[in-house]
Amino acid sequence: MTTNADVSTAASVLSVRNLVKRYAGQPVLSGIDLDVAEHEVVVLIGASGSGKSTLLRCVNLLEELDDGQVFLDGVDISDPRVDADVARRAMGVVFQAFNLFPHLSVVDNVTLAPRVVHGVSRELAEARALELLDRVGLANRARSYPDRLSGGQQQRVAIVRALAYDPRLLLFDEITSALDPELVGEVLALVRELAGQGRTILMATHEMGFARQVADRVCFLDGGVLVESGPPEQVLGDPVHERTRQFLRRIIDAGRL
Amino acid sequence: MQRERLAFRRSRSRRSTAVALVSTLVFAAVAWFGVTSAPGWPRVRQSFFSLDAAVRALPAVLEGLWLNVRVLVVCEALILVLGVLIAALRTLRGPVWFPVRALATGYVDLFRGLPLIICLYLIGFGLPGLRLTGIPNDPVLLGGIALVLVYSAYVAEVFRAGIESVHPSQLAAARSLGLNHRRTMRIVVLPQAVRRVLPALLNDFVALQKDCGLISVLGAVDAVRAAQIASATSYNFTPYVLAGLLFVLLAVPSARLADWAARRLARRQGLA
């Protein structure tokens, strides 16, 4: 059995230690320990409300932690003396509802962070953006506005926006949950390609089939606790914990695995 | 069959146009007759609607109106800047910013509640009364300051409503890209907020347009003051009517612009 213990903190891109988060006194995350090594794809599974999204938001410092630490490349970014805006530059986040900026064209959405945050010139940033958009088949939509794009196209733009400054770590928060079923495939294909390129990815998803194919490691969260973690064939095929089995049974009953 | 239906529809629309026309004419005739049959009408017509007096007052009133327009443009520019600033200060979070937030909130409460005319008196007569060096006593300048103070409070609240209408997920996306609070506001939140509140801003602009006429109470020779001077020399109120008419004409393009902006916004929201 593989656990996160055999990945040493030093080699990890991301290390989460004893992370605790409460909303109005109610614990949402109760002491999470998690490591993501370079080039690793770690998939978080669990029912709605299990804490997957909160964990991702805490890693990106979009939420204030109640306890614990978050290390990015060995640096404790949860330290209040660390500038969160600087720490976030090394992470790219893609949200469930895309969250593209509706008043900016596709190419302006993509080049915003490189230009404004990373100081890249407009020419260079646009050339890079067009190259990335071309790779996801959307170069011809570069001057369009987000509301003219399908959900799948918007989500691909959102992924490109997160890639545009070459972050060390990608955080994907249920990025296919808001899509029509026929549009899920195009987004998952892109994630598969990124995993193939050796990107370091931490993602929450309900797509179990996809998790089985692409994940290096699957982590099952339940009630804010990391119940079980290991290779996908073990966690999804032969889980150790009863709670994991129950969750997977419900998923299978729903026809999603 | 389609042709017959079209013909029916056309005849129906012709009939409703005719009904509308007739009812408008009847209403106008009744109103006209009601006013002109009043016992004091000949006298009112002479002292309020004298063409002769209007022509004589026109140059002075127009010159005054030109002052109003200049005051309007300068004040509106200052109001927009100050309004955005106050609204942005009110959105700051965290205990460090409490004094700034409280100050901005206090400002809005004070100047939204204070009647414009009282603010005009306090600034226009009180400020120069202090006899401090460097305090101007030009009524146009002082009146402009009062207008800016009061209207900035209104406009700040309009902007704040716009800022708060931008979904938190937009902020999360901007922050996740590494943008700090200021850049998030400037690049992501404010452009969306301004688009949404444009109709309300134009509405306040129309209101400011006519309130510019109130600087006359400080003695500035604007359209209203010019009308007063003209009527005082001729014992005829027509110049006031003339000035009022000119203010209305000035407001019409702004009002149509506001309608257009509101329609465009509704269309855009229908799309999204």
Side-chain angles (χ1 to χ4, degrees):
Chain A
M1 191 183 87
T2 318
T3 65
N4 54 27
D6 58 19
V7 182
S8 74
T9 307
S12 299
V13 172
L14 175 73
S15 297
V16 175
R17 290 287 168 267
N18 185 36
L19 177 55
V20 175
K21 176 68 190 171
R22 297 184 203 94
Y23 283 126
Q26 288 293 102
V28 184
L29 296 173
S30 319
I32 300 283
D33 287 293
L34 176 73
D35 290 84
V36 182
E38 189 150 22
H39 310 308
E40 201 181 16
V41 177
V42 175
V43 170
L44 304 170
I45 62 168
S48 298
S50 59
K52 306 187 297 290
S53 291
T54 308
L55 176 55
L56 291 172
R57 291 178 66 88
C58 284
V59 168
N60 198 235
L61 306 176
L62 291 171
E63 303 285 345
E64 235 172 88
L65 316 185
D66 288 310
D67 198 4
Q69 291 165 293
V70 176
F71 294 90
L72 195 67
D73 282 320
V75 177
D76 182 359
I77 57 168
S78 53
D79 188 322
R81 279 160 294 193
V82 168
D83 186 345
D85 295 322
V86 175
R88 290 193 193 101
R89 289 178 197 174
M91 293 181 266
V93 186
V94 182
F95 300 88
Q96 183 174 341
F98 331 136
N99 300 9
L100 292 176
F101 305 128
H103 62 298
L104 299 179
S105 69
V106 164
V107 73
D108 287 341
N109 263 280
V110 175
T111 57
L112 178 60
R115 285 197 293 117
V116 174
V117 180
H118 299 264
V120 179
S121 73
R122 182 181 279 274
E123 294 75 44
L124 276 177
E126 287 201 358
R128 171 94 177 116
L130 289 173
E131 184 192 317
L132 285 167
L133 286 169
D134 189 39
R135 246 191 272 166
V136 301
L138 290 172
N140 59 333
R141 309 308 301 270
R143 304 288 159 190
S144 305
Y145 283 83
D147 63 354
R148 294 291 174 188
L149 271 52
S150 74
Q153 289 174 330
Q154 288 192 49
Q155 196 58 299
R156 279 184 283 157
V157 172
I159 293 172
V160 165
R161 180 173 71 176
L163 286 173
Y165 47 96
D166 268 314
R168 286 280 288 155
L169 174 67
L170 288 169
L171 302 170
F172 293 163
D173 186 6
E174 294 191 26
I175 59 173
T176 58
S177 297
L179 294 176
D180 289 335
E182 77 272 19
L183 301 177
V184 169
E186 61 191 65
V187 171
L188 291 183
L190 177 53
V191 177
R192 194 173 288 129
E193 198 185 314
L194 295 174
Q197 289 166 8
R199 298 272 181 181
T200 309
I201 301 174
L202 176 61
M203 65 185 290
T205 189
H206 288 296
E207 301 288 338
M208 297 302 154
F210 179 77
R212 190 192 286 268
Q213 290 166 26
V214 177
D216 295 308
R217 203 143 45 81
V218 173
C219 300
F220 172 62
L221 267 76
D222 188 38
V225 177
L226 207 163
V227 175
E228 185 161 0
S229 143
E233 55 274 15
Q234 184 251 306
V235 175
L236 297 174
D238 182 23
V240 179
H241 286 267
E242 182 51 32
R243 281 149 87 181
T244 319
R245 287 205 190 120
Q246 278 174 6
F247 172 71
L248 289 172
R249 256 202 304 279
R250 281 201 301 275
I251 295 284
I252 290 165
D253 288 346
R256 308 246 345 218
L257 185 66
Chain B
M1 187 157 85
Q2 190 58 24
R3 194 177 300 165
E4 188 247 336
R5 287 182 175 183
L6 272 174
F8 175 70
R9 261 188 218 138
R10 262 202 298 274
S11 82
R12 281 287 288 269
S13 86
R14 262 199 303 274
R15 208 179 64 181
S16 34
T17 310
V19 168
L21 204 66
V22 168
S23 69
T24 308
L25 287 174
V26 166
F27 177 78
V30 166
W32 179 253
F33 181 77
V35 172
T36 53
S37 68
W41 170 243
R43 183 116 187 86
V44 167
R45 186 171 64 174
Q46 201 196 348
S47 46
F48 283 87
F49 300 99
S50 151
L51 192 64
D52 191 39
V55 169
R56 259 182 289 128
L58 188 62
V61 172
L62 269 181
E63 200 178 322
L65 193 71
W66 173 232
L67 176 68
N68 286 123
V69 170
R70 279 178 295 167
V71 168
L72 171 71
V73 170
V74 173
C75 286
E76 180 68 15
L78 292 172
I79 287 163
L80 289 176
V81 173
L82 208 59
V84 168
L85 195 73
I86 294 163
L89 292 181
R90 288 195 74 180
T91 64
L92 290 174
R93 290 284 159 262
V96 190
W97 297 106
F98 175 78
V100 177
R101 239 179 6 243
L103 212 65
T105 309
Y107 177 89
V108 170
D109 284 349
L110 176 63
F111 284 103
R112 222 159 40 133
L114 190 66
L116 177 57
I117 194 91
I118 293 175
C119 183
L120 274 163
Y121 285 143
L122 284 175
I123 300 286
F125 300 137
L127 216 53
L130 294 173
R131 292 174 191 280
L132 289 167
T133 48
I135 296 275
N137 54 19
D138 174 10
V140 176
L141 192 61
L142 291 165
I145 290 171
L147 285 171
V148 169
L149 285 174
V150 168
Y151 268 83
S152 295
Y154 281 103
V155 169
E157 284 303 278
V158 171
F159 276 124
R160 191 166 72 109
I163 288 168
E164 284 175 0
S165 78
V166 175
H167 198 270
S169 66
Q170 289 283 310
L171 269 89
R175 300 309 296 269
S176 81
L177 291 171
L179 270 68
N180 58 25
H181 179 82
R182 226 184 53 226
R183 282 169 170 162
T184 299
M185 277 309 249
R186 186 168 56 83
I187 302 172
V188 174
V189 177
L190 278 176
Q192 296 186 55
V194 168
R195 258 160 247 231
R196 278 181 216 182
V197 299
L198 197 59
L201 285 176
L202 281 164
N203 192 39
D204 278 349
F205 179 70
V206 175
L208 176 67
Q209 226 162 44
K210 62 185 162 102
D211 280 352
C212 276
L214 286 175
I215 61 170
S216 60
V217 302
L218 301 182
V221 186
D222 73 329
V224 179
R225 192 68 166 191
Q228 193 202 0
I229 293 167
S231 73
T233 52
S234 65
Y235 301 105
N236 191 303
F237 291 111
T238 307
Y240 280 123
V241 176
L242 177 69
L245 206 62
L246 289 174
F247 272 108
V248 171
L249 286 178
L250 197 63
V252 168
S254 314
R256 288 295 83 77
L257 192 66
D259 290 348
W260 173 81
R263 262 202 314 278
R264 204 179 72 126
L265 185 79
R267 252 208 322 278
R268 286 209 136 199
Q269 277 172 346
L271 258 178

